[in-house]
Amino acid sequence: MFDWKQDPHRRWNALTAEWVLVSPHRTQRPWLGQVEPPAAAVQPEYDPECYLCPGNARAGGVRNPDYASTFVFDNDFAALRPATPVDRFDRGGLLIAESEPGLCRVLCFSPRHNLTIANMAPADLRTVVDAWVEQFVEIGAHPAIDYVQIFENRGAMMGASNPHPHCQIWSNRTLPNEILKEQASQAAWRGRRGNCLLCEYADIERSERSRLVEENQDFLAVVPFWAVWPFETMVVSRRHLSGIDRLSDAERNGLADILKRVTARYDRLFGVSFPYTMGFHQRPTDGQDHPEWHLHAHFYPPLLRSATVRKFMVGYEMLATPQRDITPEAAAERLRAL
Ligand code: H2U
Ligand code: ZN
């Protein structure tokens, strides 16, 4: 008989319409590969060298104000610029390029250089949620901007250039690849079933419970059935809403609460300030209603079996299909146990 806990199988990602290969029996294999250096020692509250700390000068020479809460500024090395003229290039339908206007910002979560989401007071984290909403609304209202991507790269292993807790906001004229995939799946589901894909998914997860990591009145956090990264999680709103701007006052607190709980569990997993890339997925800001969209956040942490052994997306995964060893259910169980 087939054993879903042991035998190789593939799982369908209903959000991106892609498969992931699951090979649980491989968790036994030995590791002689790369070991990451241990994470940097405890950070100070204020670092005179940090370009995000209050009062310090940034790379371009601008000095940060002596801010006391959140702080937003236009990225000094922005990947996208608002004034980019519209242009298009097409050579035989094979060489296609388009100019891409957009806007990039950096948002510091607090003046404290060492205060991560996992350790923030709920009221301060709520202020960060408010800032996310404000940025989403303000940037999304720009007629040339159809998508606002809010994301946090946490930890040197994820390429974060600075340990000072902050996120980035990249926004642009067209829909990014991941958004296009999720948009297509959610719209198709709504067209076929007249219902929301993630509402139905959340119902299944809440009744099965095997992949549930955290839950409060407004949100749940699961290791998705189709997770690729070993300890990947998805935070989903319980109510059907298309974006963070539709959160009620209580739900904003609920979001702060679940993010703190999830990141605190991550930190406890391997006893380090856990690295990850996190970001929100929500409706495009193209002026349409987008009832198919259901607000959620993805956490993609790179760590595999300890603070120093990471998963590499290479080989078969680059050339064929992503693969994981530990099952999502086993990962959820480990995160729940902490
Ligand atoms: P990470 O989130 O990957 O750490 O990147 C931080 C961003 O901060 C990065 O996009 C910007 C970089 O361009 N930055 C500034 O805008 N000003 C600076 O003085 C240094 C870094
Ligand atoms: Zn700092």
Side-chain angles (χ1 to χ4, degrees), residues 28 58 62 69 77 80 116 120 195 209 219 243 271 288 292:
Q28 306 314 326
R58 298 207 302 274
V62 183
S69 174
F77 307 95
L80 297 149
T116 61
M120 282 181 94
N195 207 344
R209 309 200 79 75
F219 286 88
Q288 308 292 309
E292 73 278 14

Side-chain angles (χ1 to χ4, degrees), residues 6 14 25 27-28 37 55 61-62 75 100 121 131 156 161 176 187 194 199 232 236 245 295 301 306 314 332 336:
Q6 282 301 323
H25 57 289
T27 47
Q28 306 314 326
V62 183
N75 196 314
E100 188 66 24
S161 55
C199 282
E232 176 178 335
V236 187
D245 58 330
L295 170 70
S306 71
V314 295
R336 267 200 309 270

Side-chain angles (χ1 to χ4, degrees), residues 47 50 52-53 113 162 164:
D47 178 354
C50 168
L52 297 179
C53 274
H113 185 76
N162 186 317
H164 193 122

